[in-house]
């Protein structure tokens, strides 16, 4: 397998909306038989989170696989504007930069919401969508406890005075007072970076993310919040994979999901939470590749 990071285009593309050039890592299998796959991480994640899993998926499915950093995350641009429409456009811009006519898109959490939005906005460009532990609903209204947890994590990170930090353990100690889960603290602290002059900063733009949380909690596509009474939109085949112990894809959400994604399939991975690809990596790989190894549609 060839592994390469492609950081720029040969020529600039026209900006149709307010799209930005996303950073991404590419995993190219020895033999390619299917459309490419784009993978989008969740809120506060980055493309490096998916390095090992993406390599396995690329080789197993024989799909060139490109894992992006979402805007305001990782090495991608930091910009104030941030909603599902813009971020779906970012994915299409990545495809255009590589002359990809059609691709499968897999996204975890926020990345899954973006993939679902892209399938409605650009149905001719997406072969299929795999949405990981996320549903096309307004989480602030439908799952307020889960959404409050997300808001709390972001605001806890913003509250850390990085000027008082001399080592990573200092930040961990400060964050421990606000975030009790060791796993969530580790996930948050992966964003902490130290420059050559010894100054600490967050790789993700927490201010922009915080300001956008209200928008990101909804499923607002093309200026219109989608609800279960709207049957005007259709999309490509959609596979939603949820964790058994997660609250992000509740049974009550499935009516809305199938209303707008009538070809959707729902799979539950036992003994897995929201980070199902971390909790049950082998079962996750088995389920995902069973979808992605199917012929192009």
């Amino acid at each position: 397998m060839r592994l390469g990071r492609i950081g720029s285009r040969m020529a600039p593309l026209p900006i149709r909306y307010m799209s930005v050039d996303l950073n991404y890592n590419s995993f190219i299998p020895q033999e390619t038989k299917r459309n490419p796959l784009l993978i989008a991480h969740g809120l506060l994640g980055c493309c490096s989170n998916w390095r090992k899993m993406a390599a396995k998926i690329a080789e197993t499915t024989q799909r060139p696989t490109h894992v992006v950093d979402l805007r305001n995350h990782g090495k991608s641009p930091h910009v104030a504007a941030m909603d599902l429409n813009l971020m779906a456009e970012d994915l299409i811009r990545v495809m255009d930069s590589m002359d990809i006519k059609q691709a499968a898109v897999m996204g975890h959490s926020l990345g899954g919401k973006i993939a679902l939005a892209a399938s409605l906005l650009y149905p001719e460009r997406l072969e299929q969508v795999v949405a990981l532990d996320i549903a096309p609903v307004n989480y602030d209204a439908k799952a307020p406890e889960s959404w409050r947890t997300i808001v709390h994590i972001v605001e806890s990170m913003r509250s850390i005075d990085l000027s008082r930090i001399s080592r990573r353990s200092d930040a961990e100690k400060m964050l421990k007072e606000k975030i009790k889960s060791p796993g969530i603290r580790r996930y948050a602290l992966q964003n902490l970076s130290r420059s050559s002059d010894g100054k600490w900063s967050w790789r993700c733009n927490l201010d922009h993310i915080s300001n956008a949380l209200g928008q990101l909690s909804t499923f607002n596509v093309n200026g219109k919040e989608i609800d279960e009474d709207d049957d005007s939109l259709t999309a490509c085949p959609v596979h939603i994979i949820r964790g058994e112990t997660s609250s992000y894809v509740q049974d009550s959400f499935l009516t809305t999901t199938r209303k707008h994604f009538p070809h959707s399939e729902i799979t539950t991975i036992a003994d897995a939470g929201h980070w199902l690809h971390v909790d049950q990596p082998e079962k996750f790989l088995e389920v995902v590749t069973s979808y992605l190894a199917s012929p192009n549609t």
Side-chain angles (χ1 to χ4, degrees):
M1 174 178 294
R2 292 185 288 114
L3 166 62
R5 177 177 175 274
I6 306 173
S8 60
R9 268 188 282 276
M10 294 300 292
L13 294 170
I15 298 176
R16 289 189 296 270
Y17 193 17
M18 290 174 60
S19 59
V20 298
D21 295 313
L22 300 182
N23 175 67
Y24 56 90
N25 288 339
S26 296
F27 302 83
I28 312 301
Q30 294 294 331
E31 187 175 4
T32 298
K33 290 187 176 181
R34 298 179 176 86
N35 285 338
L37 168 68
L38 267 63
I39 299 178
H41 59 77
L43 191 72
L44 303 178
C46 61
C47 65
S48 61
N49 297 154
W50 283 87
R51 180 179 295 272
K52 291 182 180 180
M53 185 61 73
K56 292 178 181 179
I57 291 173
E59 200 60 54
T60 304
T61 64
Q62 296 181 312
R63 290 180 183 269
T65 298
H66 312 284
V67 191
V68 304
D69 278 331
L70 300 176
R71 61 170 60 200
N72 292 317
H73 291 77
K75 297 179 181 179
S76 285
H78 291 184
V79 289
M82 190 178 183
D83 62 35
L84 296 182
N85 299 272
L86 292 167
M87 299 171 90
E89 174 74 14
D90 292 343
L91 295 183
I92 300 302
R93 190 178 178 104
V94 170
M95 292 172 60
D96 288 346
S97 75
M98 291 184 279
D99 197 27
I100 296 172
K101 305 301 183 186
Q102 191 177 59
V105 179
M106 181 171 74
H108 174 244
S109 199
L110 173 60
K113 253 193 176 184
I114 295 166
L116 292 171
S119 73
L120 296 174
L121 293 166
Y122 309 98
E124 75 285 356
R125 303 296 303 272
L126 270 64
E127 170 201 328
Q128 60 176 301
V129 164
V130 181
L132 306 177
D133 211 54
I134 201 70
V137 300
N138 183 333
Y139 276 85
D140 193 19
K142 301 276 189 177
E145 184 175 346
S146 296
W147 191 249
R148 280 196 298 268
T149 298
I150 292 172
V151 173
H152 176 70
I153 294 168
V154 172
E155 297 310 317
S156 295
M157 293 170 67
R158 290 182 73 209
S159 72
I160 301 299
D161 183 356
L162 297 181
S163 66
R164 296 172 52 202
I165 292 174
S166 59
R167 56 183 64 85
R168 185 174 294 270
S169 60
D170 294 336
E172 203 280 337
K173 185 177 179 179
M174 293 180 187
L175 211 54
K176 188 176 182 180
E177 298 174 3
K178 300 175 180 295
I179 300 176
K180 303 304 180 185
S181 168
I184 293 178
R185 286 200 305 274
R186 285 194 298 270
Y187 183 74
L189 288 169
Q190 72 178 338
N191 286 286
L192 196 59
S193 175
R194 193 175 193 178
S195 64
S196 58
D197 62 2
K199 293 182 179 179
W200 293 91
S201 63
W202 297 110
R203 290 191 181 94
C204 56
N205 192 310
L206 291 172
D207 290 339
H208 292 340
I209 290 171
S210 176
N211 290 336
L213 286 176
Q215 284 280 349
L216 299 178
S217 71
T218 69
F219 192 64
N220 189 313
V221 177
N222 203 20
K224 180 179 182 182
E225 185 168 356
I226 306 304
D227 59 43
E228 52 265 39
D229 296 324
D230 186 342
D231 59 1
S232 63
L233 298 172
T234 58
C236 63
V238 168
H239 316 284
I240 294 180
I241 306 174
R242 61 179 178 175
E244 181 184 36
T245 63
S246 172
S247 62
Y248 280 78
V249 185
Q250 301 172 23
D251 289 343
S252 60
F253 299 169
L254 300 185
T255 299
T256 300
T257 300
R258 291 197 169 105
K259 179 74 174 180
H260 305 299
F261 302 97
H263 304 294
S264 61
E265 298 181 26
I266 313 293
T267 301
T268 303
I269 295 183
D271 300 319
H274 185 54
W275 285 275
L276 61 175
H277 53 296
V278 176
D279 295 340
Q280 298 292 337
E282 292 183 5
K283 182 62 178 178
F284 171 79
L285 184 63
E286 176 188 336
V287 171
V288 165
T289 54
S290 71
Y291 290 138
L292 295 174
S294 61
N296 294 335
T297 56

